[in-house]
Amino acid sequence: KAVLYAYKGHLHTYLGNSTEANKAFSLAVDLCDNSSKAWALYGEYLEVAFTKNPKNSINSGVSALTCFLHASRENNEIKTRKYLSKVLYLLTYDEARVDMLKAFENYMLGVPMINWLVWIPQLFNGLVQYESDTIMNLLNQIAKIYPQAIYFPIRTLYLMLKIEQRERY
């Protein structure tokens, strides 16, 4: 039922009925909290609403990020790549780095750590760019379970930063 309501919301989105689409998506995720398809469709709807006007609708962006993280909880690594890439993309919109990172921090640990392995280089770039404890906490959680997957990217990053530092001086 939840997937049917999600597709109903998707249809209302194409017809231009945003209030009906929002009602259908909300009902879909209320009916079945672990329906990744319903969360993903709702996230895509909110992402489109956010990217049309990112300055005025930061709440839509935060909600889209939350939906994509919920959609990533139940799927395997291959199916979650699309959603996690959108999560990392949405993080770039938050100039103050407050709202999006707070939502990311609240819901990131619900995603299995194996799904983050593909995104370790992007997480290191985010760590350098955002200077936030949120991404550091996620990398620590990944390192506890998969230390070998963290070692080589961190070594590469360390050597690159060392070379850049030498070039400056």
Side-chain angles (χ1 to χ4, degrees):
K1 274 185 166 180
V3 175
L4 288 175
Y5 277 108
Y7 280 125
K8 180 180 177 182
H10 195 62
L11 180 65
H12 280 295
T13 302
Y14 280 115
L15 295 175
N17 302 332
S18 63
T19 56
E20 292 296 321
N22 201 11
K23 287 179 187 177
F25 284 127
S26 296
L27 184 60
V29 296
D30 281 341
L31 284 175
C32 186
D33 186 38
N34 59 358
S35 173
S36 60
K37 188 67 173 175
W39 281 111
L41 288 172
Y42 196 17
E44 289 173 3
Y45 163 73
L46 290 169
E47 181 191 19
V48 168
F50 174 68
T51 53
K52 284 182 183 175
N53 195 359
K55 299 288 183 193
N56 294 336
S57 62
I58 192 74
N59 291 335
S60 296
V62 169
S63 298
L65 185 129
T66 304
C67 287
F68 289 134
L69 287 172
H70 277 292
S72 301
R73 288 184 303 182
E74 303 294 326
N75 282 333
N76 61 9
E77 188 267 328
I78 294 171
K79 290 182 180 178
T80 60
R81 284 183 188 179
K82 176 182 176 183
Y83 309 135
L84 293 179
S85 68
K86 289 184 178 199
V87 165
L88 295 174
Y89 174 70
L90 286 171
L91 282 175
T92 62
Y93 275 99
D94 195 10
E95 283 127 16
R97 311 276 192 275
V98 176
D99 298 327
M100 295 275 197
L101 277 175
K102 187 170 286 233
F104 182 71
E105 182 177 12
N106 291 337
Y107 297 103
M108 70 181 177
L109 294 178
V111 179
M113 292 299 143
I114 195 166
N115 294 350
W116 290 108
L117 291 181
V118 177
W119 303 104
I120 288 174
Q122 286 79 9
L123 290 172
F124 278 125
N125 286 339
L127 183 65
V128 171
Q129 182 181 8
Y130 304 135
E131 298 175 1
S132 171
D133 290 336
T134 305
I135 296 176
M136 180 60 95
N137 292 338
L138 177 61
L139 288 169
N140 283 335
Q141 293 294 325
I142 296 169
K144 287 178 185 176
I145 300 171
Y146 304 103
Q148 193 70 24
I150 294 287
Y151 174 73
F152 288 110
I154 203 167
R155 185 169 183 256
T156 304
L157 179 65
Y158 171 73
L159 292 174
M160 283 178 22
L161 291 174
K162 195 173 182 181
I163 290 170
E164 286 178 10
Q165 187 178 28
R166 277 189 201 155
E167 289 176 356
R168 285 187 201 149
Y169 297 114

